[in-house]
Amino acid sequence: MSSENGKRLLETDAGGLNFEATELTLGLPGEPRVTSDGGAKLGSKRGFSETVDLKLGDNNQEVKLGHSLQEAAKSPVSKTQVVGWPPVRGFARRGKKSCKYVKVAVDGAPYLRKVDLEIYNSYQQLLTSLEDMFSCFTIRNYLNEKKIDQVNGIEYMPTYEDKDGDWMLVGDVPWQMFVESCKRLRLMKSSEAVGLGLKTAPKYSSTN
Amino acid sequence: MNYFPDEVVEHVFDFITSHKDRNSVSLVCKSWYKIERYSRQRVFIGNCYSITPQRLIARFPGLKSLTLKGKPHFADFNLVPHDWGGFVDPWIKALAKSRIGLEELRLKRMVVSDDSLELLSKSFPNFKSLVLVSCEGFTTDGVAAIAANCRFLRELDLQENEVEDHRGHWLSCFPESCTSLVSLNFACLKGEINLASLERLVARSPNLKSLRLNRMVPLDTLQKLLMRAPQLVDLGIGSYVDDPSSEVFSKLKAVIQLCNSIRSLSGFLEVAPCCMSAIYPICENLTFLNLSYAPGLQGNDLTKLVQHCRKLQRLWILDCIGDKGLGVVASTCKELQELRVFPSDPFDAGNAAVTEEGLVLISAGCPKLNSLLYFCHQMTNAALITVAKNCTNFIRFRLCILDPVKADPVTNQPLDEGFGAIVRSNKSLKRLSLSGLLTDQVFLYIGMYAKKLEMLSIAFAGDSNKGMLYVLNGCKKLRKLEIRDCPFGDVALLEDMGKYETMRSLWMSSCEVTLGACKILAKKMPSLNVEIINESEQLEFSLDDRLLVDKMYLYRTLVGHRKDKPEYVLLL
């Protein structure tokens, strides 16, 4: 923890309190980077193709940076990052919903991704995000509407592994219950799902 | 009393249980000192560095229960670096070597290792109770040793500890012969546990009164546990998620109706709001409700629940309950003594969950209120003055405005008058935490009126040394003073050095105290340890006396410098 602003500050201003003393520079040394969309989306996910250039390990740093800068932009004096403030123990456990990262596997993809289910409010949002993430594939959505991929004519069924270890079709249970019980996601090639006889669509609409 | 034989005096002392009273008794005369020390069973040590285990053992050979506290309070907020100290190991080693028949150990903010736990579990055949609060340094292996070796264990209470979870089936280590459990709290553990072992353990513990589960215990297990233990008085629910139309949920509803001894409810570490209705039948009898770890409940859910809790005395809740929700609390919970409102999103200033309005409603509706911890987005002098009119019984008043130097948003004034009103009308106040924009004036009030104050926490407040001096001069009962980011310096620190011998400790960080002043203090007061925490990356700690000290922690001690200090601590 560097303390260039730490060997303070007898230069208090007239107000008696020097805000610079409590202001910590956010993020990495050098110019703070701004994400391309101004950091507006928490945990802005990169598209599949962009991941190739991604430096592993910088990932979280950049995401946090985006969020923090967005927060700083809101308030003129960035007090959001004062060490030890607010004085609440374990606030990372309280209040903040635990971020629920689950692995996402796509049949045929060389490696997996992870998504934080807590940032979505509905199946539609999740599936749209997955489509963005794996932009070369398309996903059969929860309403059982077919979406054929232009390129290779393959469609995928979103499935997930629940707490009991069973593989379930995404979309049957209320969204929140799904978030609680989902351990990992798999986009299964529809050809494998042949024979499951899925005639009825899942019960819940996108408004859940 | 001098004409009574020792046994009679000792018998009288049996009725004196408070630590303060027993300490006073021991000072009366040599004879009483002797009788008291041989008969003392419970000892409380507020700062583990104020005395050595050897001296403790020498003085109190009959010791059965020991309470130890380690790190300073601000360690909770990451202001104390890792490895600062507070190791319990030397204590356990010394006690193990001695003939002390330890039965109970309660630790707060200490570093505990698996080896220590194992030694503890093997050294004291009558060991009954282990309570660890805000500790760290151990894993579930250490917990397993306690479970396996303490044959008469009654209480294993782990509160808010940082425990490395090895998922090593620690629960299965309780032998089948262990049937003595009264209290089991593992809510802070993050890993999975063997659910079948847990069920069997609960089934063979007829005296179990308190059970707090972690989030890995699902609802169907909860239902089975409650079937086995309908006599529970204190329940902490782990995961509370299910489909309300399921059979398991119906069973749960039925069994909860049988649990009419439950007075304290906490947890809900994972929760589906639609399942909360099953809890309503036991709400009528609750005296303590802690929903501060239940982020899945929204304001409406909380309000609906609270409406059933007419007998509530203590409520810990998240600020998403909102001012309106607090209004419901105020009109429902007439027995309320303690309220804690925690921030659900400490960094989001945009979402004003509770404000001064909620607090005013509570103060008007809850005449027995005596303890408050309130995180809010804003506060006004007018509100505090109203609260002070409504409530004159506060023992603890801790207000945290999330924006550290926020003024009264209506008048743009500092909050001096508001806090002044609080201390003026609450003559029994023992603990106070301040926040918001504050000048020296508030400290003048505190020094004038807070005559019973024992602990004061200050951050980003005051204008000059006068502020700190008002407090040091006026608060005769002050024991703990912790200050961060205030313009208090050498003049205040050195004015009355003897004062610190009457206190347990003083913490000052990011203030204006120089190294030179700390040196003077340390030299003049050998009964104090003056510690400087220096975290800068300079390998050579500059010994320029004019250097402002980043963090200073001083405490009274009978045993001089501690031997276990890390490199970055300078002991003067």
Side-chain angles (χ1 to χ4, degrees):
Chain A
M1 189 166 36
S2 73
S3 43
E4 55 264 15
N5 59 343
K7 293 296 171 264
R8 284 142 296 88
L9 274 286
L10 282 175
E11 340 140 8
T12 52
D13 56 21
L17 213 65
N18 190 338
F19 289 149
E20 262 87 83
T22 61
E23 187 179 283
L24 299 179
T25 50
L26 299 166
L28 309 170
E31 298 230 278
R33 283 177 276 159
V34 185
T35 56
S36 54
D37 56 357
K41 272 195 288 190
L42 167 62
S44 45
K45 307 294 179 190
R46 271 166 286 294
F48 197 76
S49 47
E50 288 168 32
T51 62
V52 179
D53 289 322
L54 191 67
K55 279 169 265 177
L56 295 173
D58 278 0
N59 200 342
N60 282 331
Q61 190 75 292
E62 190 147 51
V63 166
K64 264 194 213 144
L65 200 60
H67 183 224
S68 305
L69 282 169
Q70 178 210 356
E71 288 297 323
K74 272 195 212 161
S75 55
V77 182
S78 55
K79 298 186 209 81
T80 53
Q81 298 263 339
V82 173
V83 175
W85 194 267
V88 54
R89 188 187 159 79
F91 69 82
R93 278 197 300 260
R94 279 188 214 286
K96 277 277 183 232
K97 286 182 179 175
S98 56
C99 54
K100 178 128 190 217
Y101 275 97
V102 297
K103 290 182 187 170
V104 184
V106 176
D107 289 354
Y111 52 83
L112 281 61
R113 298 294 303 272
K114 266 200 165 170
V115 290
D116 177 1
L117 293 180
E118 294 286 358
I119 68 172
Y120 306 109
N121 289 321
S122 69
Y123 286 116
Q124 186 58 56
Q125 286 181 10
L126 169 64
L127 293 172
T128 305
S129 177
L130 289 179
E131 275 188 335
D132 289 342
M133 202 182 277
F134 297 98
S135 50
C136 8
F137 313 117
T138 54
I139 304 167
R140 188 173 195 166
N141 73 12
Y142 65 95
L143 284 178
N144 231 9
E145 288 165 3
K146 285 187 191 184
K147 274 189 177 180
I148 305 288
D149 175 67
Q150 259 81 16
V151 176
N152 23 15
I154 299 171
E155 51 174 86
Y156 292 80
M157 299 284 290
T159 64
Y160 71 102
E161 183 184 18
D162 75 357
K163 274 188 180 149
D164 299 325
D166 299 318
W167 283 94
M168 320 282 290
L169 182 66
V170 167
D172 280 317
V173 298
W175 169 255
Q176 200 52 45
M177 194 176 289
F178 161 74
V179 172
E180 306 281 5
S181 55
C182 171
K183 282 173 63 177
R184 46 175 31 209
L185 285 161
R186 178 182 164 201
L187 303 183
M188 192 189 280
K189 280 205 182 123
S190 283
S191 50
E192 282 190 37
V194 163
L196 287 179
L198 292 160
K199 292 207 177 83
T200 52
K203 288 184 284 193
Y204 292 90
S205 73
S206 62
T207 51
N208 272 7
Chain B
M1 285 285 273
N2 284 338
Y3 303 113
F4 292 149
D6 287 0
E7 300 80 49
V8 174
V9 178
E10 189 181 315
H11 184 63
V12 172
F13 288 177
D14 279 349
F15 295 97
I16 301 172
T17 47
S18 103
H19 293 295
K20 275 199 185 115
D21 290 342
R22 289 206 70 120
N23 293 345
S24 305
V25 148
S26 71
L27 293 173
V28 167
C29 62
K30 279 208 184 104
S31 160
W32 281 27
Y33 177 89
K34 194 183 97 183
I35 299 169
E36 198 283 320
R37 68 176 263 253
Y38 280 110
S39 63
R40 176 99 86 148
Q41 294 186 345
R42 314 181 63 86
V43 174
F44 169 87
I45 296 177
N47 174 5
C48 65
Y49 291 119
S50 60
I51 193 76
T52 60
Q54 289 74 19
R55 282 180 66 161
L56 170 75
I57 292 165
R59 181 168 169 190
F60 299 115
L63 182 68
K64 289 210 165 76
S65 161
L66 177 62
T67 303
L68 279 173
K69 291 189 180 181
K71 299 185 206 174
H73 176 230
F74 275 178
D76 282 356
F77 318 130
N78 301 321
L79 288 179
V80 176
H82 194 52
D83 279 350
W84 171 85
F87 305 105
V88 77
D89 199 56
W91 292 85
I92 296 184
K93 282 206 170 93
L95 286 161
K97 268 204 214 118
S98 75
R99 304 239 288 261
I100 300 274
L102 195 68
E103 293 184 13
E104 177 179 273
L105 186 63
R106 308 168 75 94
L107 305 177
K108 187 167 186 179
R109 280 190 218 101
M110 294 201 72
V111 178
V112 180
S113 66
D114 285 346
D115 286 343
S116 299
L117 289 175
E118 186 168 351
L119 182 60
L120 176 69
S121 73
K122 291 181 172 161
S123 308
F124 307 104
N126 274 333
F127 193 76
K128 294 194 173 70
S129 167
L130 180 65
V131 180
L132 302 179
V133 180
S134 303
C135 296
E136 50 156 354
F138 60 106
T139 77
T140 45
D141 294 346
V143 180
I146 298 287
N149 303 322
C150 300
R151 294 170 55 213
F152 303 113
L153 195 68
R154 285 199 201 145
E155 182 176 19
L156 177 59
D157 186 356
L158 307 174
Q159 295 177 36
E160 301 204 3
N161 301 292
E162 298 287 336
V163 185
E164 197 179 299
D165 204 309
H166 289 172
R167 294 176 179 80
H169 308 294
W170 61 271
L171 248 176
S172 316
C173 293
F174 281 104
E176 292 299 316
S177 55
C178 173
T179 57
S180 48
L181 270 184
V182 173
S183 166
L184 178 63
N185 173 6
F186 60 95
C188 66
L189 296 185
K190 299 190 189 99
E192 281 161 15
I193 51 148
N194 187 323
L195 299 175
S197 286
L198 176 60
E199 285 176 48
R200 283 199 301 274
L201 178 63
V202 169
R204 66 176 185 274
S205 304
N207 298 321
L208 194 66
K209 292 280 187 292
S210 168
L211 180 63
R212 296 194 183 187
L213 311 168
N214 76 352
R215 70 186 284 151
M216 292 307 180
V217 180
L219 192 139
D220 64 317
T221 305
L222 172 66
Q223 180 263 319
K224 292 183 198 156
L225 296 172
L226 292 179
M227 287 279 283
R228 305 279 196 184
Q231 78 283 1
L232 283 179
V233 170
D234 170 23
L235 175 64
I237 290 180
S239 173
Y240 195 67
V241 175
D242 205 337
D243 182 348
S245 61
S246 76
E247 198 189 319
V248 167
F249 191 71
S250 310
K251 281 197 204 157
L252 178 73
K253 274 201 288 201
V255 77
I256 285 186
Q257 309 254 9
L258 300 175
C259 299
N260 45 28
S261 301
I262 295 182
R263 297 286 171 273
S264 161
L265 189 61
S266 61
F268 297 95
L269 308 175
E270 263 184 7
V271 58
C274 48
C275 296
M276 291 307 283
S277 54
I279 300 293
Y280 295 165
I282 51 173
C283 287
E284 294 296 329
N285 293 322
L286 287 182
T287 56
F288 177 37
L289 179 61
N290 181 358
L291 295 174
S292 64
Y293 278 105
L297 295 173
Q298 299 302 314
N300 285 340
D301 310 312
L302 296 174
T303 312
K304 270 197 277 186
L305 187 66
V306 155
Q307 275 171 328
H308 290 88
C309 303
R310 250 166 270 279
K311 295 203 187 128
L312 217 51
Q313 294 173 13
R314 296 165 63 210
L315 176 63
W316 294 19
I317 204 146
L318 289 173
D319 64 359
C320 42
I321 191 174
D323 286 331
K324 283 220 182 70
L326 288 178
V328 173
V329 172
S331 49
T332 311
C333 309
K334 295 305 183 185
E335 302 295 315
L336 198 68
Q337 296 175 27
E338 176 177 321
L339 176 67
R340 296 194 188 193
V341 180
F342 293 94
S344 44
D345 192 346
F347 300 123
D348 184 356
N351 180 23
V354 300
T355 68
E356 74 276 10
E357 289 179 20
L359 184 59
V360 168
L361 289 170
I362 291 283
S363 73
C366 305
K368 299 190 180 176
L369 196 65
N370 61 39
S371 175
L372 180 76
L373 173 62
Y374 197 75
F375 286 85
C376 59
H377 288 270
Q378 63 178 50
M379 185 54 58
T380 64
N381 281 311
L384 284 174
I385 290 168
T386 305
V387 169
K389 275 207 198 84
N390 293 338
C391 295
T392 57
N393 297 320
F394 276 120
I395 301 172
R396 277 173 236 105
F397 190 88
R398 299 158 69 188
L399 184 68
C400 179
I401 303 166
L402 292 171
D403 185 334
V405 287
K406 198 173 164 116
D408 179 330
V410 172
T411 63
N412 263 324
Q413 293 299 304
L415 291 174
D416 303 333
E417 296 307 312
F419 278 105
I422 294 288
V423 294
R424 203 160 33 234
S425 76
N426 287 277
K427 306 209 189 302
S428 311
L429 196 65
K430 284 192 182 167
R431 184 170 180 183
L432 177 64
S433 300
L434 307 170
S435 59
L437 184 65
L438 295 163
T439 72
D440 284 346
Q441 185 70 8
V442 73
F443 300 112
L444 175 67
Y445 291 141
I446 292 172
M448 271 173 71
Y449 296 112
K451 291 308 183 187
K452 297 259 168 75
L453 196 65
E454 296 182 10
M455 182 170 178
L456 179 62
S457 310
I458 310 172
F460 305 102
D463 311 309
S464 74
N465 285 314
K466 280 202 254 167
M468 185 167 163
L469 285 170
Y470 290 141
V471 170
L472 291 175
N473 293 333
C475 299
K476 303 294 183 201
K477 301 265 177 157
L478 197 62
R479 292 189 302 116
K480 289 181 275 183
L481 180 58
E482 45 187 27
I483 306 173
R484 64 163 293 181
D485 294 276
C486 295
F488 304 144
D490 299 347
V491 168
L493 181 69
L494 298 179
E495 161 104 353
D496 178 8
M497 293 188 259
K499 170 84 176 168
Y500 306 125
E501 271 182 341
T502 69
M503 292 167 55
R504 183 187 298 173
S505 65
L506 168 67
W507 168 282
M508 291 181 76
S509 61
S510 305
C511 296
E512 287 165 21
V513 169
T514 65
L515 181 59
C518 294
K519 283 185 183 168
I520 293 172
L521 180 56
K523 191 153 181 216
K524 284 252 168 68
M525 305 293 300
S527 57
L528 302 177
N529 275 352
V530 181
E531 295 193 9
I532 310 294
I533 295 174
N534 172 40
E535 290 170 282
S536 79
E537 269 138 29
Q538 310 162 248
L539 289 174
E540 277 165 39
F541 183 50
S542 158
L543 293 175
D544 186 337
D545 283 359
R546 290 164 304 171
L547 188 71
L548 284 184
V549 153
D550 197 28
K551 293 175 183 169
M552 180 204 72
Y553 180 53
L554 66 82
Y555 50 89
R556 67 181 175 191
T557 176
L558 294 175
V559 294
H561 284 182
R562 61 183 173 114
K563 311 277 186 302
D564 62 359
K565 71 171 191 70
E567 265 180 27
Y568 56 78
V569 167
L570 183 67
L571 274 170
L572 300 177

